[in-house]
Amino acid sequence: MNAQQLLSRLQDTSPDGPLDRLAALVVEHELSQPLTALLPPSLLARAVTQALEGALASPTAERELASALQHLQEQLTQDKRTVREALPPELTKAAVELASRRYSPDRALVLALLDRPPVRTLVGALLLNVLIEFSRKVSAPVTENRIAKGFSGLARLAADQARNSGALGGIAGALSDEIERQVEKRARDFVDSALSGIFQQVADALSNPTRHAEHAELRVALLDGVLGLHLSRLGRELGQVDVPGGTAVARKGIAQWLASGRALPELESFITRAMERDGQRPVREVLGAFGLLDTFQTMGRESVRGRLGPIVGSTPFARWLEEVMREP
């Protein structure tokens, strides 16, 4: 067989033809390699860091990202559907079913997330406002106080008389002001001491395994709220985000991390840990365990055949093959 005949056979792209069988050999060889041999952690880590460095050095990357987000925001703003309508109904049903499954988070985890200084400040301010407003209503004139409406007519008459008479009215007003000040002071002290207990009770309620049905109901309600949101509303919210500012902060943080010299070893360590369990198993075994082997074999064979086709059909390849065939 001469070079031209061999080249003609290699250029045959029919199923199970020479090129197709060559593609299958390449795929099978790759699938027989250990996962870490096909995807070395050091190579992956280097690829990620180099990609990040390239993106940071690019004069157009930041502008392109901002443009892409703006385009997404404009699309969402014009979309009148809800999130539920935009998602396939099968996925929505699965999400609701998943949210309904029995699960109670760890109490220490809930408490660690809730009992943070900014959260304490916010909840404390809200609770204090409620208590102070309540104290003002309690110290208001009896005839205007809804809490006092249960008093007898004689008690209300006495309160009105004290309020409308000179000296007694002044004493009552001063007493009311002093009570309000005392209540506000005590309310602040109470809030400071009660916050930890409140968070403890919230953590108990959210992590109590006997209340899993209520937890599921809460998750489903939250999910229903998300699914009911209109995409146009999400678009408007996205439009309020300072994309350029946020991108600049992210780029600065990534640049500092890369400049620290820790990025490459930390990424490699993370990838190595991620591959610790399956790294030495052949790729075909890992894919087969997840039911993906046939899919990857078929797609890989098509992909390799598609890449080899232009190569074997090129003039440089024909010239190389002739040179090989002439060599002794």
Side-chain angles (χ1 to χ4, degrees), residues 4-327:
Q4 187 58 44
Q5 291 173 324
L6 180 57
L7 182 62
S8 298
R9 297 198 63 182
L10 287 175
Q11 291 175 346
D12 180 5
T13 59
S14 61
D16 293 323
L19 189 64
D20 187 61
R21 295 199 300 272
L22 177 60
L25 287 175
V26 173
V27 171
E28 292 304 317
H29 176 268
E30 296 300 310
L31 291 178
S32 66
Q33 302 301 308
L35 187 61
T36 51
L38 188 62
L39 300 172
S42 59
L43 177 62
L44 289 177
R46 192 163 66 250
V48 172
T49 54
Q50 289 179 356
L52 291 174
E53 289 171 349
L56 291 175
S58 171
T60 59
E62 186 173 350
R63 184 170 64 251
E64 286 297 321
L65 177 59
S67 176
L69 289 176
Q70 182 180 358
H71 179 68
L72 174 62
Q73 185 262 331
E74 292 173 353
Q75 285 186 318
L76 289 175
T77 303
Q78 297 171 4
D79 199 323
K80 303 304 180 183
R81 296 176 299 170
T82 63
V83 176
R84 178 182 285 104
E85 293 168 341
L87 291 176
E90 296 81 6
L91 295 184
T92 300
K93 181 180 178 181
V96 173
E97 184 176 349
L98 184 63
S100 303
R101 293 182 62 84
R102 180 170 183 165
Y103 167 71
S104 296
D106 179 70
R107 182 180 184 277
L109 176 62
V110 175
L111 197 57
L113 294 175
L114 288 178
D115 198 359
R116 314 295 297 179
V119 181
R120 290 180 67 92
T121 300
L122 175 61
V123 176
L126 295 175
L127 181 58
L128 181 62
N129 287 340
V130 170
L131 292 176
I132 291 176
E133 182 62 24
F134 176 76
S135 74
R136 288 171 179 165
K137 291 180 179 179
V138 170
S139 60
V142 176
T143 56
E144 300 174 4
N145 189 353
R146 288 178 295 176
I147 299 176
K149 288 186 177 179
F151 291 175
S152 66
L154 183 60
R156 288 198 298 271
L157 178 62
D160 289 342
Q161 183 63 32
R163 181 170 57 113
N164 294 326
S165 62
L168 288 178
I171 294 174
L175 182 60
S176 176
D177 293 340
E178 180 59 26
I179 290 175
E180 183 173 342
R181 284 192 294 271
Q182 290 295 325
V183 170
E184 289 188 15
K185 180 180 181 303
R186 294 191 178 187
R188 294 181 186 277
D189 295 339
F190 169 77
V191 168
D192 290 339
S193 62
L195 277 177
S196 295
I198 291 174
F199 286 130
Q200 295 276 351
Q201 293 180 49
V202 172
D204 289 338
L206 293 179
S207 61
N208 189 343
T210 64
R211 305 181 67 176
H212 64 88
E214 298 173 30
H215 299 161
E217 184 179 355
L218 176 61
R219 291 192 297 271
V220 171
L222 292 173
L223 177 61
D224 187 64
V226 172
L227 293 175
L229 290 174
H230 284 82
L231 294 176
S232 57
R233 182 175 181 181
L234 294 178
R236 289 194 298 271
E237 289 299 317
L238 182 60
Q240 297 181 30
V241 177
D242 180 13
V243 174
T247 302
V249 171
R251 287 170 63 90
K252 179 182 177 181
I254 295 173
Q256 291 175 341
W257 180 48
L258 293 173
S260 70
R262 302 191 316 273
L264 184 59
E266 287 176 353
L267 272 174
E268 185 174 348
S269 175
F270 172 78
I271 296 172
T272 301
R273 289 197 305 271
M275 292 187 176
E276 185 176 5
R277 188 178 78 97
D278 298 317
Q280 298 307 312
R281 298 170 67 186
V283 177
R284 64 165 50 255
E285 185 179 324
V286 177
L287 293 175
F290 289 94
L292 299 173
L293 180 57
D294 291 342
T295 300
F296 271 77
Q297 281 179 319
T298 302
M299 294 180 62
R301 192 167 178 170
E302 292 176 358
S303 176
V304 173
R305 186 178 65 232
R307 294 187 178 189
L308 288 177
I311 294 176
V312 299
S314 65
T315 301
F317 182 83
R319 188 179 302 116
W320 169 82
L321 186 59
E322 289 179 358
E323 292 173 355
V324 171
M325 294 292 291
R326 285 198 301 266
E327 292 177 356

